[in-house]
Amino acid sequence: MKPYAALAACLLIPIMSADSPAMTAEPRPIMRWPDLLERPRPAPDRTLHYGDDPLQVVDLWLPAGKGPHPVVLMVHGGCWQSEVADRTIMNWIADDLRGQGIAVWNIDYRGVDRAGGGYPGTFMDVAAAADMLGRDGARHGFKTDRIVAVGHSAGGHLALWLAARSALPAGSALRGAAPLPIHAAISQGGLPDLRFSSNAAGHGCGTDAPKAMAGVASAARPDIYADTSPIEMAAGGARQIQVNTTLDRIAPPAYAAAYEAALRARGVAVRNVTVADEGHVELIAPGTAAWGRTLPLIRQELGL
């Protein structure tokens, strides 16, 4: 299945969990993937490699003028599968940020359907791409003292994971020696609970991909969610914001509400923002209410 068709198929699968709001008549059509992907596609300024695999790359989006520029670390979704989506589905919002003077470090990674993907490879890719920003970002014109991670769908899970990564045990291979400090993580229609996603009948991404992300329990690693699922990980110090839309069939607002409640019970504050009458695609489409609500959140967290 080509990525374009795979994205469309994922969007059309309804969520049937007991935690989801009842489906109601839509007041107006929500966006489908062709509504975004058939727009003229903006191009990044540069591409860097952090590994040998073709997916181990980062696209740089550089605003006009002399830097250093404030930077967003961007993580695409696609149900953790490279066949479903890659970093280019984020190009339109990356271009919009670039036009407003905000640089973007848009990462790619091996999905669970690629050799080396899943646990631990996908996480190690995301970590390596993030740490490369901390190590090399300044010489590329990025201001790295106040980084905001923005992730969509499965990328929302990974953005929240990056925010919690610094709290992993010092000996964890996923933590690394010096994890990139994240000031704030913004999850757009995210999937922050791998345990739920791995067991939810009718889940929009299916259950195989989140299971591959969580990995297999072993004597050395009996709890497969403690280092992979943000809802069960020890929280880092980053601010956390979730942006959801009421007509999202992949990640309904109930997912964000469950995450916020679980972290609040542990004394961790999470801000939830819900946009009415839009869906999953609108979250990463310039000109929509959902992206219009997200932009000022990004600017605020960057201190602009």
Side-chain angles (χ1 to χ4, degrees):
M1 182 180 288
K2 298 296 184 182
Y4 180 97
L7 275 169
C10 287
L11 189 62
L12 292 173
I13 297 173
I15 301 297
M16 300 299 291
S17 80
D19 293 329
S20 300
M23 297 298 291
T24 58
E26 298 172 6
R28 57 184 171 83
I30 61 173
M31 288 182 68
R32 309 295 181 181
W33 283 112
D35 297 324
L36 176 65
L37 301 180
E38 291 180 357
R39 296 180 181 182
R41 188 187 298 270
D45 296 284
R46 196 177 309 163
T47 298
L48 305 177
H49 292 260
Y50 64 88
D52 295 330
D53 190 275
L55 287 169
Q56 292 175 320
V57 295
V58 179
D59 283 345
L60 279 58
W61 298 74
L62 298 166
K66 185 178 179 181
H69 305 286
V71 62
V72 163
L73 189 163
M74 193 167 281
V75 194
H76 74 84
C79 293
W80 302 281
Q81 298 170 63
S82 300
E83 181 69 12
V84 174
D86 63 20
R87 68 194 182 282
T88 63
I89 66 168
M90 308 295 275
N91 280 21
W92 290 272
I93 59 172
D95 181 57
D96 197 28
L97 289 170
R98 176 174 61 183
Q100 299 188 41
I102 298 172
V104 177
W105 186 267
N106 187 20
I107 73 170
D108 220 329
Y109 52 86
R110 294 169 295 170
V112 302
D113 54 343
R114 293 294 186 266
Y119 181 89
T122 298
F123 292 101
M124 296 184 78
D125 281 1
V126 171
D131 291 348
M132 185 181 180
L133 171 58
R135 184 179 65 251
D136 299 336
R139 67 185 179 90
H140 292 293
F142 296 138
K143 186 179 179 183
T144 59
D145 62 337
R146 193 182 177 103
I147 294 168
V148 175
V150 175
H152 176 249
S153 197
H157 157 261
L158 291 168
L160 293 172
W161 178 82
L162 280 173
R165 177 177 162 229
S166 62
L168 289 172
S172 168
L174 298 189
R175 182 186 186 278
L180 177 74
I182 301 293
H183 172 75
I186 300 177
S187 171
Q188 304 170 286
L191 304 168
D193 188 342
L194 285 185
R195 186 190 299 272
F196 171 77
S197 297
S198 297
N199 294 281
H203 189 276
C205 286
T207 57
D208 289 345
K211 285 178 180 177
M213 287 294 291
V216 178
S218 65
R221 185 174 168 262
D223 185 349
I224 60 176
Y225 300 109
D227 59 352
T228 61
S229 185
I231 198 170
E232 300 188 39
M233 294 170 67
R239 291 168 54 80
Q240 300 183 61
I241 302 170
Q242 299 181 105
V243 181
N244 290 81
T245 50
T246 59
L247 300 181
D248 191 337
R249 298 182 178 125
I250 299 297
Y255 291 7
Y259 181 77
E260 186 277 332
L263 267 68
R264 176 164 32 89
R266 291 158 43 193
V268 179
V270 177
R271 180 181 178 185
N272 284 356
V273 176
T274 304
V275 180
D277 301 333
E278 290 189 340
H280 202 60
V281 181
E282 285 89 340
L283 289 158
I284 55 170
T288 62
W291 179 239
R293 289 289 299 277
T294 306
L295 267 173
L297 297 173
I298 293 173
R299 297 186 65 87
Q300 179 180 15
E301 295 304 329
L302 286 172
L304 301 178

